[in-house]
Amino acid sequence: MLRALIWDVDGTIAETERDGHRLAFNHAFETLGLPWRWDVATYGDLLRIAGGRERLVHDLAQRAEAPAAEADRLALVDRLHDVKNAAYRAMVDAGGIPLRPGVTRLIESAIADGARLAIATTTSRGNVDALLRGAIGANWTERFDAVVCADEAPRKKPDPEVYRLALAGLAIDAADAVAIEDSPNGVAAARAAGIATLVTRSFYFADGDFDGATASCEHLDGPVRWLDGEAPCVDLPLLRTLLAVRARRPAAPHDR
Ligand code: XBP
Ligand code: MG
């Protein structure tokens, strides 16, 4: 039975990566006097590493110009990530990043229908707050019964920790939730927590490999495909159907 929708944030609720986080990282490099920049394609490659701090650690480890001593390199990563997050929040506060199509509709119809809402993201709470305060209002947290961010779940997706904590916060079983995700790491995390996952394809994962997803669409207002059929858009009746079909189907060996 559908009791909750658990939302990823970056790429799912809003297209935050290419023109949000990426630009903010480049601003941080510039602010600290570093010549490095992440172009659109390079950032796409780096997105396979979940977590902005982890992404910086990975990138700096390959750069001969980065500090050789690990402690110095990590100190630089921390400064860069702080400057990047401040720039990202300023950008979002200025109204730079709208929600993706169908997100507001699905949030409102879930609330009207008695389904609960949660957030499961690898970004920090401050970044989520900046985005949703602008898009939904200062009282946005009243709509979500569990908000789990990098602050609470340091093990990043594909680790299922963030989804397990969201289920615990909602006090529901995995079988009663649907996760909404845009990345292969996110689908893997939700799946490892036993949650059915709807993929809403984002700019960077338009051609991603979503093995294990229950259904997929280009955006929530567009056509949805799943194993047993198609629907014109993502709505509550469809999500209920997906859970019912999944409950009837014997688990595949990898789902057990
Ligand atoms: C999002 C991320 C985040 C953002 C940047 O993944 O990987 O790292 O790119 O945010 P998901 P931070 O959508 O799967 O949660 O710099 O705050 O990590
Ligand atoms: Mg995402």
Side-chain angles (χ1 to χ4, degrees), residues 8 10 17 21 43 51-52 55 81 84 121-123 127 157:
D8 168 51
D10 294 301
E17 297 290 8
H21 290 293
Y43 192 68
R55 210 165 287 144
H81 200 221
K84 171 263 171 186
T121 177
T122 67
T123 199
N127 291 353
K157 300 169 186 176

Side-chain angles (χ1 to χ4, degrees), residues 14-17 19-21 88 91-99 131 135:
E15 278 283 9
T16 52
E17 297 290 8
D19 301 330
H21 290 293
Y88 175 80
M91 199 184 297
V92 170
D93 282 342
I97 308 182
L99 302 192
L131 182 72

